[in-house]
Amino acid sequence: MRGENLPFDKKYDLCQPFQNGKGSAKPKMTHSPLTPGIVPGRLPAEAYARNFGDHEPALDRHEARVAADRCYFCHDAPCITACPTSIDIPLFIRQIATGTPEAAATTIWSQNILGGICARVCPTETLCEEACVREAAEGKPVEIGRLQRFATDVAMGKGLHPFSRDAATGKRVAVVGAGPAGLACAHRLAMHGHDVVVLERRPKAGGLNEYGIASYKATGGFAQAEVDWLLRIGGIEIRTGVELGRDVTLDELQASYDAVFLGIGLAGVNALRAEGEDKAGVRDAVDFIAELRQATDLSQLPVGRDVVVIGGGMTAVDAAVQSKLLGAETVTIVYRRGREKMSASAHEQDHAVQSGVRIIHNAVPLRVLGNGKAEAVEFTYTQDGPGGLTLLPETFTLKADQVFKAIGQVLKGAPDNLVIAGGKLAGPLGKVWVGGDCAVGGEDLTVTAVAEGRDAAEAIHASLMS
Amino acid sequence: MANLASDFIGIKSPNPFWLASAPPTDKKYNVERAFEAGWGGVVWKTLGSEGPPVVNVNGPRYGAIWGADRRLLGLNNIELITDRPLEVNLAEIKEVKRKWRDRAMIISLMVPCDEDSWRDILGRIEDTEADGVELNFGCPHGMAERGMGSAVGQVPEYIEMVTRWVKKHSRMPCIVKLTPNITNILAPAGAAKRGGADAVSLINTINSITSVDLDSFSPEPMIDGKGTHGGYCGPAVKPIAMNMVAEIARSAETRGLPISGIGGVTTWRDAAEFMALGAGNVQVCTAAMTYGFKIVQEMISGLSQYLDDKQIAMSDLIGRAVPNVTDWQYLNLNYVAKAHIDQDLCIKCGRCYAACEDTSHQAIAMSADRTFTVKDDECVACNLCVNVCPVDNCITMVPMAKGAVDPRTGRKVGDYANWTTHPNNPSVAAE
């Protein structure tokens, strides 16, 4: 049951290649981790369900009660301050402890309408749980994230949606982007009685919840289930396959709606600026993750034998770990600076290492080697000093038939006439508000996007009603 | 290893830990398991008169309240005295006592309130070679409706009368078990003493309803939709029990009357506290019912270690705190303390702040970085912050030295002086 406590090789089936010869035939496995190149089916069929199952199992009722008992109900609690959406954590935990997880969920959702996915993907170890006084006291914080998941799961399981719409205002708002920021904005606007149309360029709503995060963090189609649940407020119409700039312009939206919210995320990807970047086998990590998330049969998803991931964030970790779980023989993350500079949390880094991923710090790629397709990557070591990063003369080469670029996403497709500060959008400007990853400020976290979407909705509401 | 051998009113046991009269001592099987685990003695579950035994309910007998992680804090029960035939109990008591000579074997008794009934039962138990009897004047449920148990224990004259009968018709040492369901424990204790009791044991259980089922609207434990008050015991009742023990130990009328302390004893510390307040030994039930008989081993090792560390004998511990139990009017009003928060231990939860700011004296300051400090000019040393702080010893009460100026009152800390001489005391002013 408690898979997180098992050694990785017990928890996941990495199918050590040498076991294949030991009798027990694995009939559906067409390839093994040792098969060269980018191929599907490196693992026996049954391994995929296990490897991509729930990363951190849900608390059952008893476990939740025990975990909730540990909360001290702090005054002006530091966990609330640490939460970008300022959920009243001590209150919701007390509501769990007293047997009313439905009330707990209402407490959570009233601040963070995507509290379910945030409970799964938030780096709680650097947010609420880092601030928990029991982290200071014992190094063991109250399990806030898992308790939040317990409460929201119970309430969603009962079909509760404890919000309703205010009297219709007759105002119409366009929300561009159905990611966390856009959905949070849309829900709050709908609650205040406005009619909302959400435009989404992809085939499904959910944004990075649907296309971006590791599969084992949101199993069972949770991202879509949460979108469906959110839409139960009413008054929100989602139009997929509509892209700003291609299918509709900002000017048109401003002309047709009383206000516009842009939560368009960061659709572009930074280039490596390394020689040979265009070789086959080199691709953006976000595309790989999106493809993996949408795959109906993971055994059909190809992955390299020797995978190299370049970058130091959550995307790099998600791509690397999932490559390993798909059966790659070796997976290496290479990051240009030291461990402490990685934007993936220590918890995420540990997870990667425990999953069998090697992390090399202080190195940058010089060139991708190979005849037309990637075969290896040559790196040079770096030194991070006060004057910035300097390249050292010593180089090394890693075997790589697949290379993932995860060195950050950038704004793409934003209307030219918007103020762009530091490569991001700044608002509000006239009838246009912005929020989420595309906006200036904040960390690129789901929970931050939710907070920005919610707050923009309140600002739009205040503006429309003034 | 300190000597824990106990001699309580002439009844010897290898340690002062007895199992109280209750389900754990209802029959040979349990009592032998208890002795194997190391218990010093047992008070056999209460015997009634000869004849058809009492019957018990066939649904839940216990209700409970719990603390964090479902730690059982209080238990109540609606079980009656033994529901096994008298002859079976007597035969087993005799058998067990013969096998376990070094352990104390006390028989708890409850029969109708007439001399013949008592004379008869005392005659019946004589042959068991038990070490003594305990008169159950305490049970608050069931038997009390039939004029026994706490129905006797709540009337001091009855206690005195029955105790006299027992001393008249039996050679055995007699312990009178007192009910706490009274207004002043000294009245029944004094009556027991006047009747010739060799000792009192207390407390029996407290009238209680542990919870109400909010679907069926029945008190718990629920029997077919109804509930009745049961007897409450366990850690939650210990403060009530200890006060009653101390009152008997220190009052002029009852001082010197041996006391067997009962009520929430769960660890060696609880036992040591009861003994310091005057109990010659302790009786345990709920802790055994919660954790099993093995807990006595922790009690034995803990009390031994404590006595060794203090370099005192068990007899030195008994009653050692009694002289320090006093009336409010004799407390030193010139004793001034201030709360002190150890910043190294503080985990910044702010509970002290919430408690003081919302419900006390606004004597704790909170800075922007969540540093909590005591405002000495507001602090009355009420101790609430200490009690709500989750970290042991983080907040302490520091006494001010004599002659120092209390920043709250501007007055110097003076010599001992109490309410009896205080200028605000009307009876002093009248003089």
Side-chain angles (χ1 to χ4, degrees):
Chain A
M1 179 64 202
R2 291 175 186 74
E4 76 274 23
N5 293 330
L6 292 175
F8 189 80
D9 57 350
K10 293 274 189 336
K11 182 177 170 187
Y12 297 114
D13 192 343
L14 297 179
C15 188
Q16 295 305 309
F18 301 109
Q19 291 175 347
N20 290 336
K22 286 188 188 169
S24 68
K26 308 261 166 85
K28 286 199 169 176
M29 198 171 72
T30 50
H31 295 291
S32 88
L34 300 187
T35 308
I38 304 173
V39 298
R42 291 182 180 274
L43 301 177
E46 65 274 15
Y48 294 95
R50 189 160 51 245
N51 286 1
F52 289 88
D54 215 338
H55 169 53
E56 194 157 35
L59 296 174
D60 66 24
R61 199 163 279 271
H62 170 71
E63 290 171 316
R65 201 68 168 258
V66 172
D69 268 339
R70 295 187 65 238
C71 175
Y72 283 148
F73 205 73
C74 295
H75 171 76
D76 190 12
C79 53
I80 305 178
T81 311
C83 174
T85 55
S86 304
I87 293 172
D88 191 338
I89 293 162
L91 177 60
F92 95 66
I93 292 180
R94 190 173 171 88
Q95 288 166 324
I96 291 173
T98 54
T100 52
E102 302 83 358
T106 304
T107 301
I108 294 161
W109 285 328
S110 61
Q111 287 295 112
N112 180 339
I113 200 65
L114 295 178
I117 195 77
C118 287
R120 290 161 166 79
V121 305
C122 260
T124 52
E125 65 280 358
T126 62
L127 296 171
C128 52
E129 292 180 16
E130 182 181 55
C132 177
V133 300
R134 298 202 76 156
E135 168 64 22
E138 300 142 52
K140 288 197 180 94
V142 174
E143 292 184 283
I144 299 167
R146 297 181 81 193
L147 285 165
Q148 178 167 321
R149 176 172 170 187
F150 172 78
T152 50
D153 279 2
V154 167
M156 279 179 75
K158 290 189 171 181
L160 301 179
H161 186 103
F163 303 97
S164 56
R165 299 188 69 195
D166 292 341
T169 61
K171 305 284 185 186
R172 296 177 72 241
V173 182
V175 169
V176 184
L183 290 170
C185 183
H187 187 274
R188 186 57 66 101
L189 287 169
M191 222 172 85
H192 285 314
H194 310 299
D195 289 324
V196 186
V197 173
V198 182
L199 308 175
E200 168 58 47
R201 68 186 172 95
R202 301 217 205 212
K204 288 186 195 170
L208 291 179
N209 294 348
E210 176 60 34
Y211 293 96
I213 58 175
S215 159
Y216 46 76
K217 291 179 184 169
T219 56
F222 182 80
Q224 281 313 296
E226 191 176 43
V227 170
D228 293 343
W229 171 87
L230 179 143
L231 294 178
R232 282 176 46 190
I233 185 79
I236 303 174
E237 182 196 343
I238 295 196
R239 295 180 191 160
T240 54
V242 180
E243 186 170 344
L244 186 66
R246 187 190 70 188
D247 305 310
V248 64
T249 66
L250 186 59
D251 287 343
E252 289 165 1
L253 291 176
Q254 286 181 279
S256 323
Y257 293 90
D258 297 298
V260 179
F261 174 78
L262 297 182
I264 56 176
L266 298 173
V269 176
N270 284 322
L272 273 188
R273 295 194 298 266
E275 196 184 310
E277 190 176 350
D278 54 347
K279 289 190 200 300
V282 182
R283 73 186 294 206
D284 293 329
V286 289
D287 293 341
F288 168 67
I289 292 170
E291 187 184 352
L292 190 150
R293 281 296 302 277
Q294 300 306 311
T296 50
D297 181 359
L298 288 170
S299 71
Q300 297 303 310
L301 191 69
V303 70
R305 171 182 178 177
D306 299 297
V307 175
V308 167
V309 183
I310 296 163
M314 302 279 260
T315 302
V317 169
D318 285 353
V321 170
Q322 294 190 111
S323 297
K324 192 72 188 160
L325 296 177
L326 284 173
E329 185 198 3
T330 71
V331 179
T332 312
I333 291 175
V334 183
Y335 176 57
R336 61 189 172 139
R337 299 183 195 272
R339 176 185 166 97
E340 67 288 349
K341 294 272 180 67
M342 285 179 77
S343 63
S345 69
H347 178 80
E348 289 287 332
Q349 294 177 46
D350 289 347
H351 177 232
V353 171
Q354 282 163 19
S355 304
V357 173
R358 181 185 179 201
I359 303 179
I360 296 176
H361 298 105
N362 297 304
V364 291
L366 292 177
R367 59 188 64 85
V368 179
L369 307 171
N371 185 14
K373 61 178 182 180
E375 288 169 12
V377 184
E378 186 186 358
F379 293 88
T380 187
Y381 284 108
T382 64
Q383 192 167 41
D384 199 4
L389 210 58
T390 50
L391 303 188
L392 300 177
E394 192 180 342
T395 64
F396 65 94
T397 300
L398 294 178
K399 260 174 77 180
D401 41 29
Q402 192 164 33
V403 180
F404 291 125
K405 299 182 282 183
I407 51 175
Q409 287 100 262
V410 292
L411 197 60
K412 185 180 158 191
D416 297 335
N417 57 337
L418 275 185
V419 181
I420 296 191
K424 291 203 174 186
L425 300 181
L429 186 70
K431 293 164 76 173
V432 182
W433 279 260
V434 298
D437 287 356
C438 68
V440 168
E443 298 166 270
D444 291 343
L445 297 173
T446 304
V447 64
T448 311
V450 171
E452 291 174 1
R454 177 200 67 192
D455 294 347
E458 292 294 349
I460 292 167
H461 174 63
S463 165
L464 293 182
M465 304 311 286
S466 64
Chain B
M1 181 98 171
N3 179 16
L4 297 186
S6 168
D7 181 340
F8 183 75
I9 59 170
I11 303 170
K12 293 187 170 53
S13 58
N15 60 57
F17 307 116
W18 293 3
L19 283 171
S21 169
T25 61
D26 188 34
K27 57 185 186 291
K28 171 176 172 260
Y29 180 83
N30 304 77
V31 171
E32 289 214 274
R33 281 178 67 84
F35 285 163
E36 282 159 15
W39 289 90
V42 300
V43 182
W44 200 276
K45 185 171 166 75
T46 307
L47 309 183
S49 297
E50 192 161 15
V54 303
V55 294
N56 271 303
V57 293
N58 297 297
R61 301 174 188 190
Y62 305 115
I65 64 162
W66 299 271
D69 204 5
R70 218 175 140 83
R71 181 174 290 242
L72 190 143
L73 298 180
L75 185 71
N76 97 345
N77 82 89
I78 56 168
E79 183 172 296
L80 302 184
I81 63 174
T82 185
D83 53 13
R84 307 191 316 148
L86 179 63
E87 301 71 27
V88 173
N89 277 309
L90 293 176
E92 287 188 4
I93 290 169
K94 183 171 182 173
E95 185 187 346
V96 174
K97 178 62 197 179
R98 286 192 163 182
K99 188 170 166 188
W100 299 85
R101 287 277 176 203
D102 68 326
R103 310 302 170 95
M105 173 68 78
I106 317 300
I107 301 175
S108 174
L109 298 173
M110 183 196 290
V111 296
C113 208
D114 61 74
E115 188 167 357
D116 289 347
S117 295
W118 283 96
R119 183 178 55 215
D120 182 60
I121 189 71
L122 289 164
R124 294 297 307 271
I125 67 169
E126 186 66 28
D127 182 48
T128 61
E129 301 174 44
D131 299 297
V133 293
E134 184 180 82
L135 314 187
N136 183 344
F137 294 158
C139 273
H141 50 270
M143 303 307 287
E145 297 168 15
R146 306 172 200 178
M148 293 182 270
S150 64
V152 177
Q154 286 167 339
V155 183
E157 293 76 15
Y158 292 172
I159 294 176
E160 185 176 342
M161 177 177 73
V162 176
T163 308
R164 276 190 208 288
W165 294 337
V166 172
K167 290 309 290 181
K168 181 173 150 192
H169 296 296
S170 174
R171 58 158 187 92
M172 289 186 184
C174 169
I175 304 167
V176 174
K177 188 166 182 176
L178 303 179
T179 175
N181 300 307
I182 40 81
T183 48
N184 182 353
I185 197 67
L186 295 177
K193 190 178 181 188
R194 285 192 302 278
D198 298 287
V200 289
S201 57
L202 69 159
I203 57 173
N204 207 308
T205 54
I206 303 172
N207 280 330
S208 59
I209 291 172
T210 47
S211 59
V212 174
D213 186 309
L214 290 176
D215 295 317
S216 67
F217 297 99
S218 164
E220 297 281 2
M222 182 270 281
I223 303 291
D224 193 22
K226 306 278 186 197
T228 187
H229 64 86
Y232 195 45
C233 53
V237 312
K238 180 185 142 193
I240 297 165
M242 290 212 300
N243 174 58
M244 291 183 169
V245 166
E247 286 302 299
I248 293 170
R250 78 186 184 99
S251 89
E253 187 193 355
T254 51
R255 187 178 298 148
L257 179 63
I259 302 167
S260 185
I262 311 171
V265 175
T266 307
T267 69
W268 72 267
R269 283 179 182 278
D270 302 322
E273 290 174 24
F274 268 94
M275 293 170 87
L277 286 173
N281 72 3
V282 293
Q283 297 183 30
V284 177
C285 173
T286 308
M289 292 182 73
T290 309
Y291 302 108
F293 289 142
K294 199 170 82 173
I295 54 161
V296 73
Q297 291 160 19
E298 165 267 309
M299 293 181 178
I300 290 169
S301 64
L303 186 60
S304 295
Q305 182 180 329
Y306 172 76
L307 294 175
D308 285 345
D309 289 350
K310 288 279 177 195
Q311 295 191 299
I312 58 173
M314 198 164 73
S315 57
D316 298 327
L317 170 63
I318 295 168
R320 193 155 179 145
V322 175
N324 296 328
V325 183
T326 187
D327 295 340
W328 192 96
Q329 63 182 330
Y330 301 123
L331 297 175
N332 181 6
L333 295 175
N334 283 341
Y335 175 84
V336 180
K338 298 291 173 188
H340 176 262
I341 301 172
D342 184 330
Q343 299 299 336
D344 292 333
L345 290 176
C346 178
I347 59 171
K348 302 183 187 296
C349 69
R351 276 167 48 164
C352 57
Y353 177 85
C356 192
E357 193 71 10
D358 285 355
T359 70
S360 289
H361 297 83
Q362 297 76 47
I364 294 178
M366 175 179 173
S367 73
D369 70 344
R370 298 185 71 83
T371 301
F372 297 92
T373 46
V374 175
K375 297 185 252 180
D376 284 351
D377 57 344
E378 298 289 349
C379 178
V380 302
C382 74
N383 214 39
L384 181 63
C385 55
V386 173
N387 294 331
V388 302
C389 176
V391 179
D392 191 28
N393 233 23
C394 174
I395 310 181
T396 48
M397 284 296 153
V398 181
M400 294 188 69
K402 201 178 117 184
V405 176
D406 179 351
R408 184 176 71 87
T409 61
R411 288 201 289 271
K412 280 188 178 177
V413 177
D415 291 322
Y416 171 86
N418 63 43
W419 177 244
T420 64
T421 56
H422 196 279
N424 288 15
N425 183 342
S427 61
V428 173
E431 281 172 9

